[in-house]
Every structure is written in C-alpha cells, then in structure tokens.
Amino acid sequence: MLKIIRGGDVCAPEHLGIMDILISGEQILQISEHIEISGIDIEIIDASGRKVIPGYFDQHVHIIGGGGEDGFASLIPPVQMTDCIRYGVTSVVGLLGTDAHAKSVESLVARTKALREEGMSAWCLTGSYAYPTVTLTGSVGKDIAFIEEVIGVKTAISDHRSSAMDRHELARLATQARTAGLLAGKCGIVHMHTGRGKEGLKNVMAILEETDIPVSQFRPTHCGNQLEDAIAFGKMGGYIDFTASETAAEAMMKAAEEVDWSHITLSSDANGSFPKWSEDKKLIGMGIGRMETLHNCVKDLLKAGLPLEKAIMPLTSNTADALNLGTEKGHLRAGADADMLFLDDSMEITDVISRGRIAMKNGTVAVKNYYDDVQ
C-alpha cells in the first residue's frame, strides 16, 4: 500500500519546510509541497506540527552483547529490535568487542540477518579487539567480499586490551579490507576502537604519511578518548566518530572548530561493556552502553545552538555517506529507503517508520520482537 506522510516540517537533513512524503513499500517515491493521488487505497499519516527527519544510523552497536570484563556472568545480552526503534534507530552496524571467545563473528552475522528479518537495516564488521583478526571464512578479505552483511573490519588500538599491533600490521589489515571493499562495492573500512593509551592515533598517522593508503580507510571511534589526535586526523579529511555521552556534544563542537562537520559522526556503543579501570588497570566497576544516549546527545547539540538540520547530521547523512550507503540511507529524498522519525515541539521522538513500516506511533512501539508473545 502507498503511504503519504502529510504536512510534516522536513529536515532531510537539509531543511525543506512543510512537505508531503510519498512512500511505496520500503522506498520514498516523492517529496513535494502537496501530493494528491486518487483511485487507489492510500494510507495517510498526519505529521502536521512535527519535524520529520531521517531515521538514525548507529554504526557501533554490540548487537549480540559485549563480552564484559568481569567473568562470564558479565556477558551482556543482545540488542532487541524494539529497543533500537524506541530510540529512533532504524539502521545499525554490529560488531564484536574484547570477547571473541564466547562471542563470535558467526553469531554476529546471524544476529545481523535476524534484525533484517525483523524489519530494520543492519550490517556488521568482521574482527574484534584481537589481532590476528577473527573471521568467519578464515580471511578478512573473504568475509568482506563474500558475506553480504559484512562491510569492514573491527580492531582496537591504544588500549591495554588490544593486541598492540604495529603500524605495519595495521597497514596490512587496511589494505586487505580496502581491496575486498573495492571488489564487493563496499566501504571496506577499518573501524578502530580507540582507547586512552599512550599510542593515540600515532600509528595511523604514520601509515598515512608513509604509504598510499587513503585516510578514508581508517575510522577511529570513541574519539573523545584522544581528542587532539582525532582533530588532527579529521583535518586530514578523515571521519571521526564520537560515543554518545553527557560530554560528547561538547567534544564534537570543539572538534568542529577545525574539522568539517560532515566528517563528524556519532554512535552509541549500545550493549557494549563500559568497564571502569583504576590507574593500574584494575577493574573497579562496570557499565553498559545505552542507545538512548544518541537522541540525548542530539538535544545537547541543539542546546549548544546548532539548528536541527545540523544536529542530526552525525547520526544520519554523515554516517550513511561515510559507509558508502548514502544513496539509500541517512537522507530523505526520492529513491532513498523510507526510514524516518517524527519529533514533537519538545524534540521527543513520537513516531518511527523503518523500511516503510510504522514501527512506533504516538510514542508507542508498534512492532514486536520474535519471542515477545511467547509465554
């Protein structure tokens, strides 16, 4: 059935003003000031008085749960599809963290497929903190080239839990991912957990100075941990990703003084472990990443003076474009996927449409996880 989103104030993310949006199946067909179609059944969805923005794209989610660092009891449960919808997330990239023993690339790919079956858009990364890299096929390149859902590789740098690879090993990993990405028409990125260690982004910067590997190949995340290095990397044209928190908006605004805003992204680290370490690296506490922090960070950016169309870019167009998925994701335009959120006057999320399906309506999640009705 066709749907018309009627009379919303559209930020695509560029501000378009009051518009109607015509949806057929999972795709946007048209956005214009007034759309009238007669003679066939059409579902009209009233968006008057609300902002309509692209669905959020969270590129760092532990969709099968993080490993925890406090014994097997600290293994974190998987992300539920409804939790993503509740917080406005319609697209995710899943990944592993410290644990590639109890958690596996096989399970990660399976959960990615499951989220797609449940009505979201999902991709994943092969690898984990460990090097040599854990894979499904035995090869980073083959995982990226032949597994539809895998778009890059995850690793860790500047962290006492990483494998402390040198710059030559990191460069070889980047070339494997790059070549496979080119063959498969994917971004083929090296997504790097970036800790607070002494190394910072020095090895990455050395690779960029000494080799022909482009800056776009490397994607540091948790950039608040190494803000000075991240800004230097961003000034070279790289994308820098911040983890949503109470201080993320401030760090993003500081980075934006020197880095193009279109190269700044935001992610949640949802369902990842947030260990707290003493100065001598002893575990003294444990937390869990929360997806709700994403929209809270958007509101913090609004409070800092950014207009809505700019505040949402790190969670919509910037992320989709950085992952070579901007044709279908991160934008509201003809031909793109029908992923969108409605915001009320208080900037709260009231409605979510995911791949053309109404997933949340008037603040109530309208979809279910597979086992929600099982007693």
Side-chain angles (χ1 to χ4, degrees), residues 253-318:
M253 294 290 283
K254 181 174 179 58
E257 294 174 4
E258 301 182 70
V259 178
D260 192 297
W261 187 251
S262 67
H263 278 229
I264 295 175
T265 61
L266 180 68
S267 59
S268 71
D269 206 359
N271 284 51
S273 61
F274 276 25
K276 300 173 184 176
W277 305 97
S278 64
E279 290 187 4
D280 58 354
K281 301 299 186 289
K282 291 181 179 179
L283 186 68
I284 57 176
M286 182 68 74
I288 299 177
R290 307 285 185 184
M291 199 168 280
E292 63 198 82
T293 57
L294 292 173
H295 190 60
N296 290 339
C297 189
V298 170
K299 290 191 285 189
D300 287 343
L301 290 170
L302 293 172
K303 291 176 183 176
L306 291 187
L308 179 62
E309 55 266 32
K310 193 169 182 178
I312 61 175
M313 285 174 61
L315 266 176
T316 58
S317 57
N318 292 1

Side-chain angles (χ1 to χ4, degrees), residues 17 29 38 45 63 96-97 112 115 136 148 153 180 223-224 241 259 265 269-270 302 366 368 374:
L29 291 187
S38 60
I45 301 171
I63 59 175
L96 297 179
T112 304
L115 290 173
L136 194 155
E148 178 186 352
V153 61
C223 282
D241 187 60
V259 178
T265 61
D269 206 359
L302 293 172
K368 294 182 179 181
V374 174

Side-chain angles (χ1 to χ4, degrees), residues 16-195:
L16 302 181
I18 305 300
M19 292 283 167
D20 291 350
I21 303 174
L22 176 63
I23 298 171
S24 175
E26 297 186 3
Q27 192 175 69
I28 296 172
L29 291 187
Q30 181 182 351
I31 300 177
S32 60
E33 291 185 2
H34 190 70
I35 299 173
E36 284 293 346
I37 298 176
S38 60
I40 57 175
D41 289 335
I42 300 175
E43 182 178 2
I44 304 296
I45 301 171
D46 184 13
S48 58
R50 286 174 286 182
K51 304 286 187 181
V52 180
I53 66 173
Y56 289 157
F57 197 142
D58 191 349
Q59 68 173 330
H60 190 113
V61 185
H62 293 269
I63 59 175
I64 60 172
E69 283 96 344
D70 195 22
F72 289 112
S74 68
L75 293 174
I76 297 170
V79 166
Q80 295 299 307
M81 176 269 296
T82 51
D83 290 333
C84 299
I85 295 301
R86 183 173 290 109
Y87 301 119
V89 174
T90 57
S91 300
V92 297
V93 177
L95 36 67
L96 297 179
T98 55
D99 183 9
H101 304 292
K103 310 282 184 173
S104 69
V105 178
E106 289 87 344
S107 295
L108 180 66
V109 172
R111 185 64 185 141
T112 304
K113 291 177 182 291
L115 290 173
R116 289 184 172 195
E117 290 175 8
E118 291 180 320
M120 291 186 60
S121 297
W123 295 266
C124 62
L125 305 174
T126 193
S128 67
Y129 278 30
Y131 186 82
T133 308
V134 295
T135 66
L136 194 155
T137 65
S139 160
V140 169
K142 286 183 178 179
D143 278 12
I144 295 171
F146 295 114
I147 301 173
E148 178 186 352
E149 294 82 5
V150 177
I151 59 173
V153 61
K154 162 78 178 288
T155 192
I157 61 173
S158 195
D159 193 293
H160 60 97
R161 298 161 296 172
S162 73
S163 295
M165 70 172 78
D166 63 31
R167 69 177 185 273
H168 303 293
E169 293 169 318
L170 182 58
R172 281 192 289 271
L173 182 64
T175 56
Q176 291 175 49
R178 176 172 174 76
T179 301
L182 292 171
L183 290 172
K186 300 176 181 178
C187 57
I189 56 167
V190 180
H191 183 90
M192 302 174 296
H193 163 97
T194 306

Side-chain angles (χ1 to χ4, degrees), residues 201-220 227-240 255 258-260 263-264:
L201 293 175
K202 292 182 178 63
N203 280 341
V204 178
M205 305 298 268
I207 291 168
L208 295 175
E209 291 173 3
E210 299 170 6
T211 76
D212 296 319
I213 301 172
V215 67
S216 59
Q217 205 61 42
F218 299 99
R219 303 296 171 84
L227 186 57
E228 185 176 340
D229 279 8
I231 290 173
F233 178 82
K235 288 170 68 175
M236 296 176 68
Y239 284 92
I240 55 177
E258 301 182 70
V259 178
D260 192 297
H263 278 229
I264 295 175

